[in-house]
Amino acid sequence: MSRRITGFTPSGELHLGNYFGAIKPLVDQQVPDRSIVFVSDLHALTLEHDPAEVRRRTLEFATVLLAAGADPARSIFLVQSHVPEHTELHYLLESATGYGEVRRMIQFKEKSRDSDRVRVSLLTYPVLMAADILLYHAGEVPVGADQRQHVELARDIATRFNAAYGPVFTVPHMVNPPVAARIMDLSRPTAKMSKSTSSGGTLRLLDSPDTLRRTVMRAVTDPGSAIEYDPGNRPGIANLLTILAACTGEDPVDAATRFSGYAQLKHAVADAVIATTDPIRHHYAELSHDPESVRKILRDGVIRARLIASDTVSAAKQAIGLLPA
Ligand code: TYM
């Protein structure tokens, strides 16, 4: 069985899209030494950032991921910057990647559009993401739909490197959840739910039940009153049905038949979201009293991760033409 890996960048706060897009798919299938979950703190340096805030969020993200079910007994759990092989492999892979390939990334275009101080790391971070994946020979990458282009780049780099220098890397593929690969913002159902927007349409995993219910009840719906799953024409209702279906495990088309009005649907969505996030909030409250035990788990993860990562970097260095020390 091949390894599975997924990462979370500590900017903003983790939300229901992160949970259904990547956290749940990973934690539902943890297999000892085959599953890797990490906080991608280096990726948080690609945009203007507050150093203290990144440090605080890194521990917060690690704690939320543990609270949401990441199990250090079954997954290797780490902070990216604690494993220096990520950046070491990043450079080697940059030397096997074309400028045009990274310049085309949609996220680079979107995030650089309104800034006149674009960091070089924003351009090259998809290559770092490829390093994150290839370092551990991960065959499967459970992520939301927004990461498609990045996982494809990792595939292209692995394939090209293997062809040019020898078979060093496993070629990964993306795994999307059956529903909820792209949860939309409740205030703007044509935009994806995101950690960084302040639109009021994000359902954060640590929000109180009252806040979650208020956010759902205020969700933008569509003209008319029909309750049907039609993302193209009725994106607001389709998003609510998607969230409900992801929480309850049913099909969004079937779920639509149970409701006769928007208020009834919204109450059901709020109940389902609160029931899904309640255990995470409670577990988080316990764990956050003992940050030292979270840091100990992260230190153990680094040791286990480096056993795999250092072998991969040695093989890549040897293949690309560097003289061993
Ligand atoms: P990030 O931190 O933006 O998002 C973490 C995960 O959540 C998924 N996601 C969503 N899924 C469904 N609906 C949404 N609205 C939604 N928003 C986010 C993302 O697709 C992602 O899976 N670059 C990555 C982190 C990363 C990574 C990696 C992931 C770094 N290295 C290696 C996998 C493998 C990122 O910033 O994700």
Side-chain angles (χ1 to χ4, degrees), residues 35-243:
S35 309
I36 300 157
V37 194
F38 70 102
V39 182
S40 43
D41 55 346
L42 295 170
H43 292 255
L45 311 184
T46 57
L47 298 172
E48 211 153 301
H49 72 283
D50 172 353
E53 193 62 7
V54 170
R55 213 171 358 256
R56 186 184 72 72
R57 286 212 188 282
T58 298
L59 186 62
E60 179 185 282
F61 268 45
T63 312
V64 176
L65 291 168
L66 289 170
D71 174 3
R74 290 183 295 150
S75 283
I76 301 178
F77 187 64
L78 61 117
V79 170
Q80 183 189 30
S81 67
H82 296 176
V83 177
E85 285 80 3
H86 284 254
T87 43
E88 213 176 349
L89 186 60
H90 177 200
Y91 180 76
L92 300 180
L93 297 184
E94 275 187 350
S95 305
T97 307
Y99 170 70
E101 280 183 293
V102 286
R103 183 70 192 77
R104 298 199 272 283
M105 293 288 125
I106 293 162
Q107 289 209 0
F108 174 72
K109 288 188 186 162
E110 283 174 0
K111 290 180 178 167
S112 61
R113 194 173 294 142
D114 301 323
S115 170
D116 50 4
R117 284 191 308 200
V118 176
R119 298 177 178 184
V120 175
S121 58
L122 183 66
L123 179 69
T124 60
Y125 105 90
V127 188
L128 177 59
M129 181 162 159
D132 300 336
I133 298 167
L134 303 185
L135 202 49
Y136 300 102
H137 300 288
E140 294 182 1
V141 189
V143 282
D146 61 324
Q147 297 296 323
R148 169 181 297 281
Q149 220 188 5
H150 293 157
V151 179
E152 276 169 9
L153 179 70
R155 285 176 62 81
D156 291 347
I157 295 174
T159 306
R160 186 172 334 112
F161 190 105
N162 287 348
Y165 306 116
V168 173
F169 299 119
T170 300
V171 178
H173 69 269
M174 171 167 113
V175 179
N176 270 162
V179 282
R182 191 175 175 82
I183 295 217
M184 309 308 271
D185 188 294
L186 295 188
S187 307
R188 284 185 306 142
T190 49
K192 94 174 167 163
M193 188 177 283
S194 139
K195 293 190 225 108
S196 48
T197 47
S198 51
S199 63
T202 300
L203 296 165
R204 296 182 191 82
L205 296 178
L206 297 182
D207 276 347
S208 69
D210 281 354
T211 303
L212 291 169
R213 188 172 296 280
R214 226 177 303 122
T215 307
V216 172
M217 297 314 286
R218 274 202 318 248
V220 167
T221 48
D222 310 299
S225 58
I227 304 222
E228 57 197 5
Y229 183 70
D230 180 358
N233 296 310
R234 306 183 65 71
I237 293 300
N239 191 36
L240 288 171
L241 288 166
T242 298
I243 292 171

